[in-house]
């Protein structure tokens, strides 16, 4: 509690704080208002996001998670996709992410939309707090916050929900890193570790990985700078223990390493299952180069940093640039980009002016960070170009981690973050001298000329040129207005509070208008019925005899998605019926809406051996394909074929549903085995003309542990297997085996599944390349498969114990943090 003699000092602080609090509320409210303006259709008409991955990935994942949780189960396994696949281990399902609790409080479709709104607000607010931490005024910090949350990078990716979620936490990580350097408080390590864990749990490993590189470089840079300052203690007073720079850098790296280690322990419940899944996926040794370098930033798109629609816009049905619009979209607004460039110019100009001085004055923190973010912009733009420069190719081959991720253009997150910070720095440091005012006026005339050229060209030219002529016209107007605003900034020495607030408000409103203008066309919403309306075509599959899966042809899936509904040059009509027709196609992962088991899977990570089998079936001739599909428990095949191979049970202008002849049931008994030592042996036997999966199972036994008398096997002795109980993580079977043999379950073989035969543990064998099998003797048996992944149990134990320790430490430190500053110790 404060002492009585401290009362006048506290009263004075409160009086000085009140005016800044009013400005804080006035400007900060824009950060909250802007996302709701963007999603006004959700606010007033209850329309929800749907375009792209929300429809066929995020809604199915979160709905499956919600269903499992409400049933009182851990959402560990997804039985509806890919013959069964991990659910919690799919990082983007983000079960442990705290803010995903909102999916349990409202329908998932509304939760997806509100989640984006909430994280845009958090992105702007964390950016505001970070820039305030480095010394920016409420106006300049608000401009940085608006720029970040309304940036093309975030708004262009609202359909990638986990990317927005992860990007929202980056400014907070910078804030905590800054405090760790400047305050030298060990407690900040805990908060940074906790924030890093939460960002990882948000569900996008790529942005988390890029964030680690960003924070590591930032801490090294700021530690080096802070060590050079005589006043870098926790209280801002001279630090008697002045240490050399190299020691400060080592200390910063050590603290950062502790924070990262703590985050990994806190996130172990998600991290270990996700790591196990990755090792079982085709990306276990990194992504293929051609796949990973897809969506490299197109160098010609540099012009779109100022004129986003230079190559057209999908909302206007006229985009003609390379790849898609949103992966290269990094617009920050014209005025913020001008201010960011002005901040860089001002910093390096003063360096050259101060070079003759023996001891240049100490810069404020907001000026000290300029060179770091200026270099970050350069690094971001170069690396984002991917295969367009040899630099990223070298990074991809030699720097650990980069080879696991696709789309180098996503490194534009560094440009977005740096540009937003520098925009605020430029807004605070911008001044006009008589000479610079003349330069700005000349630039204004050039911008007006640019607008005139665009207008004249728009009148006399036609065709594709319209896109860049319109963009040139609009760019000239926006630049002209930006310069007019800057030219009318009140002189700093004669400004009154009213003048400053009016000018600041005008500048912020212009930035908000600019960002909203380009953001609105990227927000696609429909009534929530797009998620809840039943799929009528599912009746043709659900009413067929036998619990079989269905498979959608890969070429049909790709063509329907990316050549018809999700084309890069247009977003298509915002009509409920149009998009309901897409759902009716049942392409992956739309079968989840009807709770239909599918042999397809459109998750980012899939089980590698299962993918091999699917590829084998997709590329086989009709006879071999029929045999492989039957082996996969596929009873129906969906494509757009004119020449049908099998009996057609449904057909329209888009799709054909064919019945696969004589599919194997989900579980069955066979009386003969083929022992294989390698995957090559398995593939050779699977494609052999004489292979009959109804009478023979291929068991992969690399260690020769299989000890069964093959003389007891018979080609003619087969028997049915009954499914007694089936859930996401447990399947109960019963069999009356006529002889020794194997019970084969056409569910994906994956670590963590355990089996019992008559309540006794039994090994699970890898069957037919991708499935499970257990050996049984002659007679009646009860077989139970349960999913009990050790990676989850160990990870959850580590996370829980670490979280308990963190809570205890924070509880002990909390009384110290609540004491007046004069009574606190120095944590240096």
């Amino acid at each position: 509690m404060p002492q009585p003699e401290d009362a006048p000092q506290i009263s004075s602080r409160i009086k000085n704080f009140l005016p800044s609090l009013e400005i804080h509320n006035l400007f900060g409210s824009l950060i909250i208002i802007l996302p709701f303006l963007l999603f006004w259709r959700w606010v007033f008409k209850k329309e929800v996001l749907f375009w792209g991955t929300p429809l066929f990935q995020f809604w199915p994942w979160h709905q499956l998670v919600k269903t499992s949780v409400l049933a009182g189960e851990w959402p560990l396994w997804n039985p509806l996709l890919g013959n069964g696949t991990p659910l919690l281990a799919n990082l983007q399902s983000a079960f442990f992410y705290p803010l995903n609790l909102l999916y349990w409080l409202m329908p998932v479709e509304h939760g997806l939309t509100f989640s984006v709104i909430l994280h845009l607000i958090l992105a702007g607010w964390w950016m505001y707090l970070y820039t305030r931490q480095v010394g920016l005024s409420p106006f300049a910090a608000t401009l940085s916050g608006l720029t970040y949350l309304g940036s093309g990078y975030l708004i262009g990716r609202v359909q990638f929900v986990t990317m927005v979620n992860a990007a929202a936490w980056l400014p907070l990580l910078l804030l905590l890193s800054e405090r760790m350097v400047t305050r030298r408080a060990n407690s900040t390590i805990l908060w940074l570790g906790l924030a890093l864990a939460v960002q990882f749990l948000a569900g996008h490993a790529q942005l988390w990985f890029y964030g680690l590189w960003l924070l590591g470089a930032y801490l090294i840079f700021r530690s080096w700078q802070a060590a050079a300052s005589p006043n870098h203690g926790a209280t801002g007073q001279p630090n008697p223990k002045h240490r050399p720079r190299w020691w400060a850098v080592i200390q910063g790296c050590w603290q950062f390493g502790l924070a990262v280690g703590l985050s990994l322990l806190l996130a172990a419940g998600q991290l270990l299952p996700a790591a196990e899944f990755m090792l079982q996926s085709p990306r276990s040794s990194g992504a293929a180069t051609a796949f990973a370098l897809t969506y490299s930033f197109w160098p010609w798109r540099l012009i779109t940093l100022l004129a986003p629609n230079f190559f057209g816009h999908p909302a206007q049905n006229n985009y003609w640039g390379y790849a898609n619009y949103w992966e290269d979209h990094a617009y920050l607004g014209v005025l913020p980009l001008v201010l960011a460039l002005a901040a860089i110019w001002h910093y390096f100009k003063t360096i050259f002016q101060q070079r003759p001085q023996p001891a240049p004055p100490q810069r404020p923190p907001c000026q000290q960070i300029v060179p770091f973010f200026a270099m970050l912009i350069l690094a971001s733009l170069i690396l984002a170009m991917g295969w367009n420069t040899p630099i990223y190719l070298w990074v991809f081959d030699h720097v650990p981690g980069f080879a696991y991720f696709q789309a180098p253009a996503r490194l534009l997150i560094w440009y977005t973050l740096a540009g937003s910070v520098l925009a605020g720095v430029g807004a605070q440091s911008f001044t006009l001298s008589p000479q610079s005012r003349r330069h700005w006026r000349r630039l204004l005339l050039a911008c007006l000329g640019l607008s005139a050229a665009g207008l004249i060209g728009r009148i006399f030219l036609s065709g594709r040129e319209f896109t860049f002529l319109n963009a040139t016209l609009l760019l000239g107007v926006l630049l002209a207005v930006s310069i007019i605003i800057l030219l009318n900034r009140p002189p700093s020495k004669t400004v009154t509070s009213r003048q400053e607030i009016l000018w600041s408000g005008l500048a912020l409103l212009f930035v908000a208008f600019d960002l909203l203008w380009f953001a609105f066309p990227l927000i696609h919403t429909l009534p929530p019925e797009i998620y809840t309306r039943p799929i009528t075509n599912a009746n043709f599959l659900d009413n067929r005899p036998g619990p079989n899966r269905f498979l959608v042809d890969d070429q049909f899936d790709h063509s329907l998605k990316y050549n018809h509904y999700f084309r890069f040059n247009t977003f298509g009509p915002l009509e409920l019926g149009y998009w309901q027709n897409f759902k009716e196609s049942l392409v992956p992962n739309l079968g989840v809406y009807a709770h239909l088991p599918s042999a397809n899977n459109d998750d980012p990570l899939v089980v590698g051996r299962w993918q091999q089998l699917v590829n084998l079936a997709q590329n086989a001739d009709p006879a071999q394909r029929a045999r492989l599909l039957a082996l996969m428990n596929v009873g129906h095949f969906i494509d757009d074929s004119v020449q049908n191979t099998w009996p057609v049970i449904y057909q329209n202008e888009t799709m054909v549903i064919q019945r696969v002849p004589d599919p194997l049931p989900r579980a069955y008994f066979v009386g003969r085995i083929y022992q294989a030592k390698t995957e090559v042996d398995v593939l050779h036997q699977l494609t052999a003309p004489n292979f009959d999966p109804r009478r023979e199972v291929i068991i992969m036994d690399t260690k020769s542990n299989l000890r069964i008398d093959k003389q007891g096997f018979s080609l003619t002795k087969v028997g049915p297997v009954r499914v007694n109980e089936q859930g996401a993580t447990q399947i109960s079977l019963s069999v009356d085996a006529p002889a020794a043999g194997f019970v084969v379950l056409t569910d994906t073989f994956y670590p963590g599944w355990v089996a019992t035969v008559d309540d006794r543990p039994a090994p699970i064998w890898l069957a037919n390349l991708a499935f499970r099998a257990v050996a049984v003797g002659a007679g009646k048996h009860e077989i139970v498969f349960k999913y009990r992944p050790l990676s989850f149990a160990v990870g959850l134990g580590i996370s829980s114990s670490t979280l308990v320790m963190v809570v205890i430490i924070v509880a002990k430190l909390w009384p110290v943090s609540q004491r007046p500053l004069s009574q606190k110790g120095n944590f240096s």
Side-chain angles (χ1 to χ4, degrees):
M1 294 292 294
Q3 302 299 319
E5 58 269 19
D6 294 333
Q9 183 180 3
I10 295 175
S11 176
S12 175
R13 288 183 180 179
I14 293 175
K15 291 180 181 179
N16 293 333
F17 178 70
L18 286 177
S20 63
L21 183 62
E22 294 175 359
I23 297 175
H24 166 92
N25 290 336
L26 176 65
F27 293 153
S29 62
L30 291 174
I31 293 175
I32 300 176
I33 293 172
L34 191 67
F36 283 104
L37 287 176
L38 272 173
F39 288 87
W40 68 271
R41 291 181 180 273
W42 180 78
V43 175
F44 296 106
K45 302 176 71 174
K46 300 304 178 184
E47 293 187 356
V48 295
L49 283 171
F50 78 97
W51 200 90
T53 53
L55 192 61
F56 60 84
Q57 284 188 338
F58 288 107
W59 190 94
W61 294 335
H62 289 299
Q63 187 62 38
L64 289 169
V65 168
K66 184 175 181 178
T67 301
S68 295
V69 171
L70 294 180
E73 300 177 348
W74 290 105
L76 298 174
W77 190 258
N78 175 4
L80 298 180
L81 296 176
N83 291 84
T85 188
L87 179 58
L88 183 142
N90 172 10
L91 183 62
Q92 297 199 59
S93 66
F95 167 68
F96 287 112
Y97 184 50
L99 295 184
N100 280 353
L101 287 172
L102 60 90
Y103 293 118
W104 305 356
L105 305 176
M106 61 180 70
V108 171
E109 57 270 19
H110 287 285
L112 288 169
T113 308
F114 183 64
S115 176
V116 172
I117 297 173
L118 175 62
H119 284 88
L120 290 177
I121 294 173
L122 288 177
W125 191 246
W126 296 140
M127 178 60 75
Y128 177 91
L129 294 179
Y130 165 68
T131 48
R132 290 286 286 151
Q133 175 71 30
V134 295
L136 294 190
S137 65
F139 156 67
T142 303
L143 190 140
S144 287
L146 289 177
T147 302
Y148 188 62
L149 77 88
S151 63
Y153 191 96
L154 268 66
I155 303 302
R157 289 169 170 80
V158 292
Q159 70 270 30
F160 301 105
V161 180
T162 53
M163 290 190 70
V164 177
N165 294 358
W169 294 93
L170 285 173
L172 176 63
L173 298 176
L174 283 176
L175 168 64
L176 295 172
S177 300
E178 179 68 20
R179 288 183 175 179
M180 192 162 67
V181 170
T182 57
R183 296 187 178 184
R184 299 296 181 185
N186 293 331
S187 60
T188 310
I189 298 175
L190 293 177
W191 298 115
L192 181 59
L194 183 61
L196 279 169
V198 171
Q199 191 204 25
F200 177 81
L201 296 176
H204 204 271
Q206 186 173 11
L207 288 192
W208 185 78
F209 176 75
Y210 293 161
L212 290 182
W213 281 94
L214 168 65
L215 293 181
Y218 183 82
L219 279 167
I220 292 173
F221 179 82
R222 292 294 287 142
S223 297
W224 181 271
Q225 285 186 326
S229 171
N231 302 325
H232 69 288
T235 63
Q237 301 300 320
N239 190 348
K241 297 181 180 180
H242 187 68
R243 294 171 177 172
R245 288 188 174 188
W246 63 267
W247 178 257
V249 170
I250 292 177
Q251 184 180 14
C253 292
W254 172 248
Q255 291 176 326
F256 179 59
L258 288 177
V260 173
L262 177 61
S263 72
L264 296 178
L265 293 175
L266 287 168
Q270 176 69 74
L271 176 64
L272 293 185
E276 180 181 58
F277 194 7
M278 188 189 68
L279 292 176
Q280 296 292 323
S281 76
R283 292 199 197 184
S284 58
S285 58
T289 303
F291 170 80
L293 296 182
T294 304
Y295 303 125
S296 296
F297 184 67
W298 193 32
W300 287 103
R301 283 290 293 269
L302 286 169
I303 187 62
T304 63
L305 301 180
L306 274 171
N309 298 345
F310 194 84
F311 299 100
H313 196 290
Q316 300 170 1
N317 305 323
N318 61 1
Y319 177 70
W320 56 277
Y322 168 76
N324 61 45
Y325 181 90
W326 48 90
E327 285 290 359
D328 289 359
H329 190 33
Y331 184 64
L332 299 176
V334 171
L335 180 57
L337 186 54
V338 170
L339 289 171
L341 295 174
I344 297 173
W345 171 261
H346 174 77
Y347 178 89
F348 289 103
K349 179 182 177 181
T350 53
I351 284 182
F352 291 122
Q353 289 177 344
Q354 293 177 359
R355 180 170 291 179
Q357 300 180 11
Q362 182 70 28
R363 295 177 182 269
C366 63
Q367 288 295 322
Q368 294 177 15
I369 60 177
V370 169
F372 173 81
F373 286 112
M375 294 303 296
L376 186 64
I377 286 178
L378 183 62
S380 175
L381 292 176
I382 292 175
L383 292 177
M385 291 183 185
W387 59 28
N388 293 299
T389 72
I391 298 177
Y392 185 81
L393 296 175
W394 183 91
V395 171
F396 181 84
D397 290 331
H398 296 91
V399 180
F402 280 88
Y404 286 92
F405 301 109
Q406 186 194 25
R410 293 175 184 175
L411 279 160
L412 290 171
I413 185 62
W414 293 350
Y415 165 83
T416 300
L417 195 75
S420 301
V421 173
L422 292 177
V425 175
Q428 178 151 313
S429 61
F430 184 82
T431 57
L432 284 170
S433 64
Q435 182 179 6
S436 64
R437 188 179 292 272
R438 288 194 297 270
H439 294 322
W440 283 105
R441 285 173 176 169
R442 291 169 185 162
L443 184 58
L444 175 60
L445 290 176
C447 294
L448 294 175
L450 187 66
S451 299
L455 180 60
I456 294 172
R458 180 69 175 82
I459 294 173
F460 291 102
L461 297 177
S462 61
R464 178 168 287 179
E465 293 81 2
F466 275 164
T467 60
F468 60 79
L469 289 174
N470 290 341
T472 300
L473 171 62
L474 185 57
L475 172 61
V477 172
L478 293 175
L479 277 172
V481 175
S482 300
I483 294 171
I484 290 172
I485 290 174
L486 294 176
L487 286 172
N488 284 276
R489 180 163 195 172
S492 58
K493 294 182 179 180
T494 61
V495 66
T496 64
S497 176
R498 180 180 178 83
Q499 288 175 316
E500 179 68 20
I501 291 176
L502 288 175
W503 182 86
S504 300
L506 176 64
L508 291 176
L509 288 176
F510 174 70
V511 170
F513 170 81
D514 183 6
L515 294 173
L516 286 171
W517 179 271
F518 290 102
F520 273 131
L522 293 168
I523 308 299
H524 316 292
T525 59
L526 279 178
E529 287 76 18
I530 186 59
Y531 291 98
T532 58
R533 182 177 293 183
I535 300 175
T536 58
N537 286 346
N539 296 327
F540 295 98
L541 306 180
D542 196 30
N543 295 331
R544 298 297 101 190
N548 298 124
R549 296 177 170 92
F550 71 95
L551 182 78
V552 179
D553 180 68
D554 186 60
Q555 293 183 357
F556 168 66
D557 170 38
H558 187 275
S559 176
L560 190 72
K561 282 180 180 175
Y562 303 113
N563 295 336
H564 187 69
Y565 285 98
F566 300 110
R567 295 161 55 191
F568 291 166
N569 65 333
T570 179
F571 288 129
L574 296 179
E575 299 174 2
L576 188 60
Y578 178 83
W579 291 100
Q580 180 64 25
N581 287 336
F582 170 67
K583 284 179 62 180
E584 295 289 338
S585 69
L586 288 170
V587 296
N589 294 334
L590 299 178
V592 175
Y593 287 86
H595 206 73
L596 292 173
S598 168
N600 295 103
N601 190 355
D602 199 18
D603 291 359
L605 286 182
V606 295
V607 180
R609 288 194 176 99
W610 166 87
Q611 185 65 66
Q612 282 183 283
L613 185 58
V614 171
N615 292 342
L616 195 65
Q618 295 276 13
N619 298 322
D621 59 70
Q624 190 178 84
R625 177 181 288 183
R627 187 170 69 250
L628 293 174
L629 292 183
L631 177 144
M632 297 171 65
N633 180 231
V634 172
H636 304 92
F637 184 73
I638 300 176
D639 66 357
D640 57 351
S641 175
V642 178
Q643 298 179 350
N644 302 313
T645 307
W646 305 303
V648 175
I649 63 174
Y650 176 77
Q651 184 172 2
N652 61 20
E653 64 278 1
T654 302
M655 61 184 288
V656 177
I657 303 179
Q658 304 175 58
R659 185 182 302 158
V660 178
D662 197 17
L664 285 165
R666 183 181 180 188
Y668 58 95
F669 171 85
V670 291
R672 179 176 177 137
I673 70 166
Y674 177 88
Q675 250 178 300
K677 299 294 184 183
T678 65
E679 288 186 5
V680 175
D681 292 340
V682 175
L683 293 172
H684 181 267
Q685 183 65 13
L686 277 175
T687 55
N690 60 347
F691 173 65
D692 185 357
R694 293 163 184 83
R695 298 183 179 274
E696 181 180 30
V697 60
I698 306 170
I699 299 296
M700 187 168 170
D701 180 23
T702 58
K703 298 180 180 179
S704 300
N705 292 327
L706 191 58
R707 296 289 185 265
I708 293 182
D709 182 10
K710 297 183 183 180
Q711 299 298 323
F713 286 70
S714 172
L715 286 173
T716 60
K717 292 183 178 181
V718 296
V721 175
R722 186 175 65 186
V723 179
N724 299 322
E725 177 187 354
Q726 53 183 334
T729 58
Q730 181 169 322
I731 304 100
S732 176
L733 310 173
S734 59
V735 62
D736 186 0
F742 279 83
V743 171
V744 180
L745 182 67
T746 57
D747 287 12
T748 307
F749 182 92
Y750 192 81
W753 281 97
V754 295
T756 59
V757 177
D758 301 327
D759 296 326
R760 288 175 294 183
I764 299 177
W765 298 98
L766 179 60
N768 294 338
L769 183 64
F771 304 130
R772 310 172 211 157
V774 293
V776 296
K780 295 182 179 180
H781 302 281
E782 297 293 329
I783 304 162
V784 178
F785 290 90
K786 294 182 180 180
Y787 188 47
R788 300 292 184 266
L790 182 62
S791 60
F792 173 69
V794 173
L796 186 62
I798 294 174
S799 295
S800 301
S801 56
T802 305
L803 184 60
V804 169
M805 289 189 293
V806 168
V807 170
I808 293 173
I809 295 173
V810 170
K812 290 185 177 181
L813 292 176
W814 186 259
V816 175
S817 65
Q818 296 304 299
R819 279 185 279 163
L821 187 63
S822 59
Q823 298 182 22
K824 293 181 183 179
N826 192 341
F827 288 90
S828 59

